[in-house]
Amino acid sequence: AKSRGRSFYPRYHQAMNERRRDLVRLQSDLYRALECEQFSVVYQPKVCLQSGNIVGAEALLRWQHEEHGAVSPAEFIPLAESSGLIESIGEWVLASASSQSRAWHEEGLPPFLVSVNLSGRQLQMGSLVERVRFVLDNTGLDPEQLELEVTETFLMQDISQSLILLEEIKALGVRLAIDDFGTGYSSLNYLHRLPIDTLKIDRSFIVDLERSSETYDLVRNVIHMSHDLGLRVVAEGVETQVQLDMLRELACDEIQGYYFSPPVSPEAFRRLLAQQRVF
Ligand code: C2E
Ligand code: CA
Ligand code: CA
Ligand code: CA
């Protein structure tokens, strides 16, 4: 079947080979990107639906490649994971976002929570807890001002193992969010066992909110149940006023999405935060 496929789809295979070559090249470029300072962190505001204030920001990694320009994290994060590089890149993001946030707090800007993504691979390193503690000590960021986002898919792989790890991370005093909620095969039933503070509803549900009454009901149930468990709920990928109104109606706590702001440079985020300064 393989050789038949090859002769029937030569273009496809040629494209595949080119793509594979590109990926190998991109992976070796990743090794140099850290030293060459091609990475940066952008910040996407999270807005409280009750007050309308920015109450948090998700730190998102950006890579400016010397030839290709901006490379999407959706493309290079998996490469960084398979090569093991995500451990040092992830720690760099954590340190960068933590020291930046600390500086903003010092400046007297309104309080906000900074959220940093942890990849499954980082969660599997034995030294994660020590590394997070190291970064907190070094940057002087108050642990309560840091939230770590962990995907639902990772947590679901081994709930009892995840529970042990999350308890250890929680003991540092940081907050924990479950990311991309709804994309894995989970029921809400196990949530009460996990020491999490925040649940982020995946963008795919927000997209369907207006069109599908089933999705609407599902999101309502997720929000109600989360609140019963004392969790804050963040809706991801909010792009329209209609979505915002529906989420407010459902008592969702916070929104994140292009409707309010895309991820922006540190300078631009600082300006947004400073605008709501209360004297
Ligand atoms: P994520 O953690 O689910 O992050 C949210 C993604 O949704 C971001 O994409 C953000 O730019 C995008 N987004 C936000 N609002 C909207 C919206 O209204 N509409 C649409 N269509 N998209 C929106 P981004 O920055 O390209 O990151 C993609 C993924 O790459 C992230 O998904 C996360 O899984 C991963 N990633 C990014 N930075 C890091 C990092 O520092 N560490 C790790 N481990 N993963 C990261
Ligand atoms: Ca995230
Ligand atoms: Ca997400
Ligand atoms: Ca996602």
Side-chain angles (χ1 to χ4, degrees):
K2 243 183 188 168
S3 61
R4 234 176 83 187
R6 202 168 295 245
S7 58
F8 274 122
Y9 304 109
R11 269 165 208 269
Y12 173 76
H13 276 281
Q14 197 183 333
M16 279 291 283
N17 285 334
E18 276 169 21
R19 173 145 180 82
R20 204 170 295 136
R21 248 198 328 271
D22 285 349
L23 287 180
V24 170
R25 215 174 282 148
L26 213 53
Q27 185 147 18
S28 73
D29 291 347
L30 258 185
Y31 278 95
R32 293 179 40 241
L34 249 187
E35 296 168 37
C36 300
E37 301 182 6
Q38 291 169 356
F39 289 123
S40 61
V41 176
V42 288
Y43 296 86
Q44 186 174 35
K46 295 181 187 177
V47 176
C48 169
L49 274 175
Q50 268 189 2
S51 67
N53 284 336
I54 296 172
V55 290
E58 178 170 5
L60 293 157
L61 182 59
R62 292 292 177 264
W63 180 19
Q64 187 68 27
H65 189 279
E66 49 210 340
E67 291 158 52
H68 310 311
V71 185
S72 162
E75 186 149 17
F76 73 79
I77 295 281
L79 284 179
E81 286 185 327
S82 61
S83 63
L85 263 177
I86 192 69
E87 299 179 4
S88 37
I89 296 175
E91 191 166 333
W92 180 84
V93 175
L94 181 64
S96 174
S98 299
S99 76
Q100 177 65 87
S101 299
R102 159 86 203 247
W104 284 328
H105 291 299
E106 291 273 280
E107 230 189 282
L109 290 167
F112 72 100
L113 196 64
V114 69
S115 306
V116 176
N117 291 287
L118 289 184
S119 87
R121 177 96 184 216
Q122 281 174 281
L123 288 153
Q124 281 159 340
M125 339 181 253
S127 58
L128 178 72
V129 177
E130 286 91 282
R131 283 168 185 244
V132 175
R133 185 183 291 122
F134 176 80
V135 169
L136 286 168
D137 287 348
N138 253 279
T139 58
L141 182 69
D142 181 347
E144 283 176 18
Q145 292 164 335
L146 176 66
E147 181 169 74
L148 299 173
E149 296 191 2
V150 178
T151 63
E152 180 194 24
T153 332
F154 174 81
L155 294 181
M156 290 312 295
Q157 285 167 11
D158 185 342
I159 294 186
S160 51
Q161 197 54 45
S162 297
L163 181 59
I164 297 170
L165 179 62
L166 294 189
E167 296 282 8
E168 274 176 23
I169 299 176
K170 261 317 269 185
L172 294 168
V174 303
R175 305 212 206 175
L176 280 171
I178 180 162
D179 200 3
D180 300 346
F181 188 80
T183 57
Y185 296 94
S186 56
S187 72
L188 284 162
N189 300 328
Y190 71 91
L191 278 184
H192 72 277
R193 293 175 51 194
L194 300 175
I196 51 175
D197 307 277
T198 308
L199 182 145
K200 299 187 76 178
I201 301 177
D202 192 69
R203 189 172 80 83
S204 53
F205 294 90
I206 308 307
V207 169
D208 281 348
L209 210 52
E210 301 171 38
R211 293 195 276 272
S212 153
S213 64
E214 280 167 34
T215 303
Y216 185 89
D217 290 343
L218 194 76
V219 169
R220 185 184 49 210
N221 288 337
V222 168
I223 293 174
H224 283 177
M225 189 136 171
S226 299
H227 285 167
D228 285 346
L229 295 170
L231 302 178
R232 242 167 59 250
V233 182
V234 179
E236 296 194 283
V238 176
E239 294 183 354
T240 69
Q241 176 76 49
V242 177
Q243 291 166 348
L244 185 152
D245 291 339
M246 288 177 131
L247 288 161
R248 188 181 276 134
E249 198 175 274
L250 294 175
C252 181
D253 302 283
E254 293 168 29
I255 55 161
Q256 179 183 348
Y258 296 166
Y259 181 75
F260 182 76
S261 170
V264 295
S265 69
E267 299 74 30
F269 178 75
R270 189 200 162 281
R271 276 196 297 276
L272 287 173
L273 200 59
Q275 275 164 17
Q276 68 183 33
R277 180 179 216 145
V278 189
F279 287 101

